[in-house]
Amino acid sequence: MSVTSKTILFFLALLCSRCVTLAEMQSALVTPTIVAPIDSLIAECSGLDYTGGTHFWAHNDGYGDNTLYRISNSGVYTRSLVISNATNYDWEDITHDADRDYLYIGDFGNNSCSRTNLRIYRINYPVSTSPASVTADEIYFSYPDQTLIPSPWYNFDAEAFFHHNNHFYIFSKADSTAIGYTKLYRVPDQPGTHVATLIDSFYTNDRITSAEINQDSSAVVLLANNRIHLFTGWSGDNFFTGNYTLLRFSTSWTQKEAITFYTRTTVWMADESDGVSNYLYRVDLSAYIPPPVTTGFTALTVPAVTVFPNPARGQLSINPGIVTGIWQYTLMDQTGKTVLSEQQLATDLVTVSVAALAPGIYQLHVTGDRLLPAVQRIIISR
């Protein structure tokens, strides 16, 4: 038996192992709320990344536009960022790591399944002091199961990914006779050239256009034009082994191409302009995402930390939000070394001196009794 035949048989077996019957699927109807129109600079919004404040980073789908656009949560354009060494061959999604150290752009659109330059761009997560133009690191990858380029089997296109535990998780967008299954691949997040690892596949019976994992890594969403596939309670990094819910949109069809978590249970989406669309949408998924992990009868929550000013010069104020018992802040430099750390009472607003610290990027960790750790990126400038 040839290598190609073995590959085909292996993948067919893999597909059959993940086939979902109607009896296994949970389905619900949800109504996306139209929030605001998106600025016309982003007429083909194919990626959306929540900044953690009141804005999103977005980008256009292809056509050589190597610019990121920052828009407010009312859809208003506020800033541009040019990726000077990048080409928008087919940018399809955007995401960040848990600490927002980096922003990643997925240049892996591959409609004809003929590309040999699939890549992800990495830049430092933009802040108010970032220049208008930056240079990106490049992360190249290939698919382990693609034996022909171009491939006559149209399931080597991708429009969806997110970052989790030092890896990217990429979901294929099947087309033509391959429609039905999305494949899940894992790629290391380090610059260089990699061969992706094929983890599994799942029967969605549509084409996946964006993906995201929420802040406490308890839920994954895959977006299609008219529905969301939701996974919770998985094992390891095979998200398809978790509980599955199909969320169908009650509204009319639009070309929805981007999704991001705004809170732990709320997603925002964007669609491409077709003359009547090009909007920001909001969907509340709290009825379908289980509450945070509990210990005994007390839920673990993420503290609502407020830090100001950021960037900081001489001092930094930290408000831990709603916290019970003792809490602790720890400020670490980029090497992981602790430079400041202290325990505090629950209701304290703490102001600490950072005048002696070198300018740069730091991580602020807030921990406490019955809390999931909160991490914020802090910039110290002079």
Side-chain angles (χ1 to χ4, degrees):
M1 183 181 294
S2 68
V3 173
T4 301
S5 298
K6 289 180 179 178
T7 301
I8 292 173
L9 289 176
F10 166 78
F11 193 70
L12 286 174
L14 184 64
L15 291 182
C16 292
S17 72
R18 296 306 308 159
C19 187
V20 178
T21 67
L22 292 175
E24 291 174 311
M25 291 196 303
Q26 296 184 33
S27 177
L29 200 65
V30 295
T31 302
T33 299
I34 297 178
V35 179
I38 300 173
D39 192 284
S40 59
L41 282 170
I42 314 109
E44 294 201 13
C45 184
S46 190
L48 196 67
D49 185 77
Y50 176 49
T51 67
T54 59
H55 286 75
F56 303 90
W57 285 104
H59 61 77
N60 280 311
D61 182 357
Y63 303 106
D65 184 0
N66 62 332
T67 303
L68 296 179
Y69 301 91
R70 193 179 72 165
I71 57 174
S72 71
N73 53 16
S74 57
V76 176
Y77 161 76
T78 59
R79 183 184 169 195
S80 296
L81 182 64
V82 175
I83 315 300
S84 60
N85 65 322
T87 299
N88 187 342
Y89 187 95
D90 197 355
W91 292 6
E92 289 292 359
D93 209 354
I94 187 171
T95 192
H96 63 270
D97 57 2
D99 297 333
R100 286 192 173 84
D101 290 327
Y102 295 107
L103 188 65
Y104 304 97
I105 306 160
D107 183 14
F108 41 52
N110 191 19
N111 291 325
S112 62
C113 296
S114 61
R115 286 186 63 178
T116 57
N117 62 341
L118 303 171
R119 60 198 166 193
I120 295 165
Y121 291 110
R122 183 184 79 173
I123 63 171
N124 291 329
Y125 203 94
V127 294
S128 60
T129 56
S130 297
S133 178
V134 298
T135 301
D137 298 318
E138 295 175 280
I139 302 163
Y140 287 89
F141 70 93
S142 59
Y143 296 114
D145 52 327
Q146 183 172 8
T147 57
L148 295 175
I149 298 177
S151 172
W153 191 55
Y154 284 80
N155 205 349
F156 298 103
D157 184 16
E159 295 192 3
F161 82 136
F162 56 75
H163 184 278
H164 178 62
N165 287 345
N166 303 315
H167 288 85
F168 303 113
Y169 291 88
I170 300 171
F171 301 84
S172 69
K173 178 189 176 186
D175 206 346
S176 186
T177 56
I179 286 180
Y181 286 90
T182 184
K183 295 183 290 179
L184 168 60
Y185 295 93
R186 181 178 62 236
V187 175
D189 66 359
Q190 295 303 302
T193 302
H194 309 278
V195 177
T197 298
L198 175 59
I199 296 176
D200 205 343
S201 63
F202 195 87
Y203 186 77
T204 62
N205 198 30
D206 54 27
R207 293 180 287 186
I208 301 303
T209 59
S210 188
E212 187 64 292
I213 189 168
N214 67 352
Q215 291 90 330
D216 65 356
S217 301
S218 63
V220 162
V221 288
L222 305 183
L223 177 67
N225 293 145
N226 61 344
R227 51 191 182 173
I228 291 173
H229 303 274
L230 171 67
F231 298 88
T232 61
W234 58 81
S235 175
D237 65 354
N238 188 344
F239 311 105
F240 296 154
T241 63
N243 301 314
Y244 170 61
T245 304
L246 173 63
L247 302 172
R248 297 174 289 110
F249 297 153
S250 62
T251 50
S252 59
W253 186 98
T254 66
Q255 192 171 335
K256 295 180 178 67
E257 294 266 338
I259 193 167
T260 185
F261 272 98
Y262 197 82
T263 69
R264 182 182 175 275
T265 58
T266 303
V267 294
W268 285 49
M269 305 178 298
D271 54 12
E272 294 188 0
S273 175
D274 59 3
V276 296
S277 53
N278 203 30
Y279 287 92
L280 285 173
Y281 302 82
R282 182 179 64 246
V283 181
D284 181 3
L285 303 181
S286 58
Y288 311 102
I289 297 177
V293 178
T294 59
T295 302
F297 298 99
T298 305
L300 296 175
T301 58
V302 179
V305 180
T306 303
V307 183
F308 58 92
N310 189 15
R313 292 181 181 272
Q315 61 184 25
L316 185 69
S317 295
I318 308 167
N319 187 336
I322 302 173
V323 178
T324 59
I326 301 296
W327 66 280
Q328 179 170 325
Y329 71 84
T330 302
L331 192 66
M332 299 180 181
D333 64 17
Q334 287 188 292
T335 69
K337 177 184 177 182
T338 297
V339 296
L340 290 173
S341 185
E342 190 175 13
Q343 286 190 343
Q344 301 291 333
L345 296 176
T347 56
D348 284 354
L349 171 65
V350 179
T351 299
V352 298
S353 175
V354 294
L357 299 180
I361 299 174
Y362 294 77
Q363 287 185 3
L364 177 69
H365 296 248
V366 174
T367 57
D369 186 29
R370 296 183 296 277
L371 291 177
L372 291 169
V375 180
Q376 288 205 19
R377 190 167 181 257
I378 305 297
I379 295 176
I380 296 177
S381 62
R382 295 288 182 261

